[in-house]
Structures are given as C-alpha cells and as structure tokens.
Amino acid sequence: MSEKNREGKRTARERMQEERAAQEARDSRRKKLLAVGAVLVVILAGVGIGIAVQSSRSSSDVPKASPAGTIGKNNLIVPDGPANAPSTLTVYEDPRCPACGAFEHEFSATVDQLQDQGKLYGNYHIVSFIDRHDSGKGSKNGANALGCAQDAGYFRAYHDVMYKNQPDETVDTWKDKSKLIDLAKQVPGLDSPTFENCVNTNHFGSWVSAVEQDFDKSGYTSTPTILLNGKPIYPKNGTEDITPDNLVKWVNEANQGKPLGTTGSASASPAPTSTAVASTPAQSPSS
C-alpha cells in the first residue's frame, strides 16, 4: 500500500472518530437536558400527571402502522440480508447524523457484500433524535421515508442513496419532503405516487416515534452504534480499530464452522409490491 493510500485511510478513520466524539458530546448534552426537564416535570406536574404521561408513552410504543417486513417487538427493526446468516450486525443510525454518514461511506459496500455472501444479517434501528436539539424535522422525515422504501421493497438501495446525499447536519434539508422524494428517482422502481404519498403523509410517523422511544430506553447514547452479535464494535472491537478489512475478519472469525445463510430466506426488504398507503387515510405527522 502506498504512503498516500495509507494516509488516506488513516485520515478517514480519524475523521470518523472525531465525528463520533462530537456526536457523543452533543448526545451527552441532550441527555442532561432531558434529565433536567424530566425532573422539572415531576416537580411541577406531580405524581398523578406523571402516571398519566407514562401511560401515554407506553401506549405510543406500539406504532399504528409499520413498514412491511419489519421485525422484532412491535416491528421496529428493518432487516437486511438473509435471516439465517450466522452473524447479525445491529445498526442504530439517525439520517442526519454525520458520524453515521462517515460510517456508511466507508462501510456500506463491505456490509452489503457480507450480507450478499450469506455471512451477515443486518438489523437497522432508524432513530431520529437529532431533530430534538434543533427543533428540526429532517431526521423524522428521513426515517419515515426509509420506512416507505422498506414497505415498497427498496430499503437498502434507498438507504445507500440517502447517505450518499446526506446534507450537513446544521442544514435541515430534509425538512422539505420533496428532497426525499427526489432521491427516490435514483432508485429504479421506487419513484411512484405510492411512495410519494407515503412520504408526504408521514404514513409511518408513529413507527418513527416508537423506534426513537425504543432507542431512548436501550441504554445507547449516540449514533452510529454498531454491534456484531450483540457486542459493540464501533469505533473499536477491543483494541482493534474498525476498518472494512477488520470487519470482514471479525465476521469470518465469528462465523467459523457455521453454515452460511441463504439469500432467499426472509431477506431484508419484502419483494416490491403495491402497498395500501395510497388508499389509506393520511395520518397526522408525529412531532
């Protein structure tokens, strides 16, 4: 490897680590503000109202509608790849998160290849907390659009296009839903009146909110959070930095002696079909 290429890879890893550190600092401030707010609510509202609020939150954990093919409790997880693959990669991402964009730019091709080889089953949690700290809408709109793409059978392709075209976090570009609809034109077969209606009506808004509430209770505090078979591997796996080559090595080590998954077994997105969104009354956008 030339010194230039080696320096390029080193710089990319450093950039990912810097963005991750900045994201964690923002998340830490957010958690502190939420904690202070929660204390004030308890003091001002009293026990009775607190119980009512908790009851309301519990009921909203169950989305009114979930994208086709989603899995797990309350169908909050978007799967990608063969369900019978010997290893599972769990990914928590926010569409507006710059560190998530850096991860996807460096690792999406490797993850896709491992999934297509039957070595890896992807489980995606599409969270949307960045909107909270700047009163934005792009995280929620982007998460809903990903749900619409999953429902139509094009999650992976649309997910990859979104991160390749991710705007700066400080510019809430995706508050304009037409920008997300325009991205669908880069995914053959996705651009349709059904997809457009799903995005414009925030059809999976309750699902987006439920996924975020699940993330809030998970104990994880930043994105991306990446787990291989339940063990955190981003930005390090033990003492080793995560790189595409290391990810392949870790997956191969975990899979040693195990049969590969078959790509036809409950793969991530359902086969592209017509969804009922177009004939379903529009849901009110979730805040």
Side-chain angles (χ1 to χ4, degrees), residues 13-31:
R13 288 197 294 274
E14 286 181 348
R15 185 171 64 253
M16 288 175 62
Q17 291 169 352
E18 289 169 359
E19 289 174 345
R20 172 65 175 234
Q23 187 71 50
E24 287 179 343
R26 289 190 292 268
D27 296 340
S28 177
R29 290 194 295 271
R30 175 181 65 87
K31 291 288 185 181

mmCIF file of all heavy atoms in Angstrom, residues 13-31:
data_model
loop_
_atom_site.group_PDB
_atom_site.id
_atom_site.type_symbol
_atom_site.label_atom_id
_atom_site.label_comp_id
_atom_site.label_asym_id
_atom_site.label_seq_id
_atom_site.Cartn_x
_atom_site.Cartn_y
_atom_site.Cartn_z
ATOM 1 N N ARG A 13 -10.274 7.292 9.121
ATOM 2 C CA ARG A 13 -10.576 6.764 10.458
ATOM 3 C C ARG A 13 -10.567 7.876 11.490
ATOM 4 O O ARG A 13 -11.423 7.918 12.379
ATOM 5 C CB ARG A 13 -9.567 5.679 10.832
ATOM 6 C CG ARG A 13 -9.742 4.374 10.063
ATOM 7 C CD ARG A 13 -9.002 3.257 10.763
ATOM 8 N NE ARG A 13 -7.559 3.470 10.739
ATOM 9 C CZ ARG A 13 -6.774 3.079 9.733
ATOM 10 N NH1 ARG A 13 -7.289 2.493 8.666
ATOM 11 N NH2 ARG A 13 -5.467 3.278 9.782
ATOM 12 N N GLU A 14 -9.617 8.784 11.371
ATOM 13 C CA GLU A 14 -9.560 9.894 12.318
ATOM 14 C C GLU A 14 -10.804 10.767 12.190
ATOM 15 O O GLU A 14 -11.359 11.220 13.185
ATOM 16 C CB GLU A 14 -8.306 10.737 12.085
ATOM 17 C CG GLU A 14 -7.009 10.062 12.560
ATOM 18 C CD GLU A 14 -5.800 10.940 12.326
ATOM 19 O OE1 GLU A 14 -5.938 11.948 11.594
ATOM 20 O OE2 GLU A 14 -4.733 10.609 12.888
ATOM 21 N N ARG A 15 -11.242 10.999 10.954
ATOM 22 C CA ARG A 15 -12.430 11.815 10.746
ATOM 23 C C ARG A 15 -13.662 11.145 11.365
ATOM 24 O O ARG A 15 -14.488 11.800 11.991
ATOM 25 C CB ARG A 15 -12.652 12.054 9.260
ATOM 26 C CG ARG A 15 -13.811 13.010 8.975
ATOM 27 C CD ARG A 15 -13.866 13.401 7.514
ATOM 28 N NE ARG A 15 -14.129 12.274 6.650
ATOM 29 C CZ ARG A 15 -13.216 11.709 5.870
ATOM 30 N NH1 ARG A 15 -11.980 12.168 5.850
ATOM 31 N NH2 ARG A 15 -13.533 10.687 5.091
ATOM 32 N N MET A 16 -13.776 9.828 11.189
ATOM 33 C CA MET A 16 -14.891 9.108 11.792
ATOM 34 C C MET A 16 -14.861 9.227 13.308
ATOM 35 O O MET A 16 -15.879 9.440 13.964
ATOM 36 C CB MET A 16 -14.854 7.631 11.380
ATOM 37 C CG MET A 16 -15.221 7.372 9.935
ATOM 38 S SD MET A 16 -15.003 5.641 9.493
ATOM 39 C CE MET A 16 -16.183 4.876 10.602
ATOM 40 N N GLN A 17 -13.654 9.088 13.887
ATOM 41 C CA GLN A 17 -13.536 9.166 15.337
ATOM 42 C C GLN A 17 -13.854 10.563 15.840
ATOM 43 O O GLN A 17 -14.498 10.730 16.883
ATOM 44 C CB GLN A 17 -12.128 8.743 15.762
ATOM 45 C CG GLN A 17 -11.858 7.254 15.554
ATOM 46 C CD GLN A 17 -10.398 6.890 15.724
ATOM 47 O OE1 GLN A 17 -9.549 7.761 15.858
ATOM 48 N NE2 GLN A 17 -10.099 5.603 15.707
ATOM 49 N N GLU A 18 -13.413 11.589 15.100
ATOM 50 C CA GLU A 18 -13.717 12.958 15.504
ATOM 51 C C GLU A 18 -15.213 13.228 15.431
ATOM 52 O O GLU A 18 -15.789 13.853 16.321
ATOM 53 C CB GLU A 18 -12.957 13.937 14.603
ATOM 54 C CG GLU A 18 -11.454 13.955 14.849
ATOM 55 C CD GLU A 18 -10.707 14.720 13.771
ATOM 56 O OE1 GLU A 18 -11.374 15.200 12.836
ATOM 57 O OE2 GLU A 18 -9.468 14.834 13.870
ATOM 58 N N GLU A 19 -15.851 12.763 14.359
ATOM 59 C CA GLU A 19 -17.282 12.980 14.229
ATOM 60 C C GLU A 19 -18.044 12.208 15.304
ATOM 61 O O GLU A 19 -19.047 12.680 15.843
ATOM 62 C CB GLU A 19 -17.751 12.569 12.831
ATOM 63 C CG GLU A 19 -17.271 13.533 11.749
ATOM 64 C CD GLU A 19 -17.600 13.065 10.355
ATOM 65 O OE1 GLU A 19 -17.943 11.874 10.193
ATOM 66 O OE2 GLU A 19 -17.507 13.879 9.424
ATOM 67 N N ARG A 20 -17.573 10.993 15.616
ATOM 68 C CA ARG A 20 -18.197 10.213 16.678
ATOM 69 C C ARG A 20 -18.067 10.940 18.014
ATOM 70 O O ARG A 20 -19.030 11.037 18.779
ATOM 71 C CB ARG A 20 -17.533 8.832 16.758
ATOM 72 C CG ARG A 20 -17.945 7.964 17.953
ATOM 73 C CD ARG A 20 -19.410 7.566 17.906
ATOM 74 N NE ARG A 20 -19.729 6.651 18.981
ATOM 75 C CZ ARG A 20 -20.291 5.469 18.842
ATOM 76 N NH1 ARG A 20 -20.627 5.051 17.646
ATOM 77 N NH2 ARG A 20 -20.549 4.702 19.880
ATOM 78 N N ALA A 21 -16.880 11.501 18.305
ATOM 79 C CA ALA A 21 -16.667 12.215 19.561
ATOM 80 C C ALA A 21 -17.567 13.442 19.648
ATOM 81 O O ALA A 21 -18.160 13.729 20.698
ATOM 82 C CB ALA A 21 -15.201 12.613 19.693
ATOM 83 N N ALA A 22 -17.681 14.166 18.537
ATOM 84 C CA ALA A 22 -18.554 15.337 18.525
ATOM 85 C C ALA A 22 -20.002 14.942 18.718
ATOM 86 O O ALA A 22 -20.761 15.597 19.434
ATOM 87 C CB ALA A 22 -18.383 16.097 17.196
ATOM 88 N N GLN A 23 -20.398 13.827 18.083
ATOM 89 C CA GLN A 23 -21.771 13.352 18.228
ATOM 90 C C GLN A 23 -22.046 12.950 19.671
ATOM 91 O O GLN A 23 -23.096 13.258 20.239
ATOM 92 C CB GLN A 23 -22.009 12.148 17.312
ATOM 93 C CG GLN A 23 -23.461 11.688 17.262
ATOM 94 C CD GLN A 23 -24.338 12.674 16.520
ATOM 95 O OE1 GLN A 23 -24.029 13.100 15.420
ATOM 96 N NE2 GLN A 23 -25.418 13.080 17.137
ATOM 97 N N GLU A 24 -21.088 12.265 20.307
ATOM 98 C CA GLU A 24 -21.279 11.846 21.687
ATOM 99 C C GLU A 24 -21.381 13.049 22.615
ATOM 100 O O GLU A 24 -22.143 13.031 23.582
ATOM 101 C CB GLU A 24 -20.123 10.938 22.115
ATOM 102 C CG GLU A 24 -20.190 9.555 21.477
ATOM 103 C CD GLU A 24 -19.019 8.672 21.879
ATOM 104 O OE1 GLU A 24 -18.004 9.214 22.368
ATOM 105 O OE2 GLU A 24 -19.133 7.447 21.700
ATOM 106 N N ALA A 25 -20.622 14.105 22.334
ATOM 107 C CA ALA A 25 -20.714 15.315 23.148
ATOM 108 C C ALA A 25 -22.095 15.942 23.023
ATOM 109 O O ALA A 25 -22.698 16.367 24.018
ATOM 110 C CB ALA A 25 -19.641 16.317 22.730
ATOM 111 N N ARG A 26 -22.613 15.994 21.802
ATOM 112 C CA ARG A 26 -23.965 16.530 21.604
ATOM 113 C C ARG A 26 -25.001 15.668 22.295
ATOM 114 O O ARG A 26 -25.938 16.171 22.930
ATOM 115 C CB ARG A 26 -24.280 16.636 20.106
ATOM 116 C CG ARG A 26 -23.523 17.733 19.390
ATOM 117 C CD ARG A 26 -24.066 17.934 17.989
ATOM 118 N NE ARG A 26 -23.787 16.814 17.113
ATOM 119 C CZ ARG A 26 -22.721 16.728 16.337
ATOM 120 N NH1 ARG A 26 -21.813 17.693 16.346
ATOM 121 N NH2 ARG A 26 -22.534 15.694 15.544
ATOM 122 N N ASP A 27 -24.833 14.345 22.174
ATOM 123 C CA ASP A 27 -25.789 13.433 22.812
ATOM 124 C C ASP A 27 -25.751 13.559 24.322
ATOM 125 O O ASP A 27 -26.782 13.470 24.991
ATOM 126 C CB ASP A 27 -25.482 11.982 22.411
ATOM 127 C CG ASP A 27 -25.661 11.747 20.931
ATOM 128 O OD1 ASP A 27 -26.373 12.561 20.295
ATOM 129 O OD2 ASP A 27 -25.099 10.777 20.409
ATOM 130 N N SER A 28 -24.547 13.757 24.884
ATOM 131 C CA SER A 28 -24.422 13.909 26.330
ATOM 132 C C SER A 28 -25.165 15.155 26.804
ATOM 133 O O SER A 28 -25.880 15.124 27.811
ATOM 134 C CB SER A 28 -22.953 13.999 26.713
ATOM 135 O OG SER A 28 -22.808 14.219 28.103
ATOM 136 N N ARG A 29 -25.009 16.255 26.058
ATOM 137 C CA ARG A 29 -25.744 17.471 26.415
ATOM 138 C C ARG A 29 -27.247 17.260 26.316
ATOM 139 O O ARG A 29 -28.013 17.730 27.160
ATOM 140 C CB ARG A 29 -25.315 18.623 25.499
ATOM 141 C CG ARG A 29 -23.893 19.110 25.743
ATOM 142 C CD ARG A 29 -23.644 20.434 25.058
ATOM 143 N NE ARG A 29 -23.719 20.318 23.610
ATOM 144 C CZ ARG A 29 -22.682 20.025 22.842
ATOM 145 N NH1 ARG A 29 -21.489 19.808 23.375
ATOM 146 N NH2 ARG A 29 -22.817 19.961 21.533
ATOM 147 N N ARG A 30 -27.649 16.530 25.266
ATOM 148 C CA ARG A 30 -29.077 16.258 25.091
ATOM 149 C C ARG A 30 -29.627 15.449 26.253
ATOM 150 O O ARG A 30 -30.691 15.761 26.801
ATOM 151 C CB ARG A 30 -29.294 15.486 23.785
ATOM 152 C CG ARG A 30 -30.729 15.038 23.550
ATOM 153 C CD ARG A 30 -30.828 14.254 22.252
ATOM 154 N NE ARG A 30 -30.094 13.005 22.305
ATOM 155 C CZ ARG A 30 -30.620 11.869 22.764
ATOM 156 N NH1 ARG A 30 -31.861 11.828 23.203
ATOM 157 N NH2 ARG A 30 -29.894 10.758 22.775
ATOM 158 N N LYS A 31 -28.888 14.401 26.665
ATOM 159 C CA LYS A 31 -29.340 13.565 27.770
ATOM 160 C C LYS A 31 -29.465 14.375 29.056
ATOM 161 O O LYS A 31 -30.404 14.192 29.835
ATOM 162 C CB LYS A 31 -28.373 12.399 27.980
ATOM 163 C CG LYS A 31 -28.386 11.362 26.860
ATOM 164 C CD LYS A 31 -29.637 10.544 26.893
ATOM 165 C CE LYS A 31 -29.557 9.421 25.839
ATOM 166 N NZ LYS A 31 -30.781 8.607 25.829
#
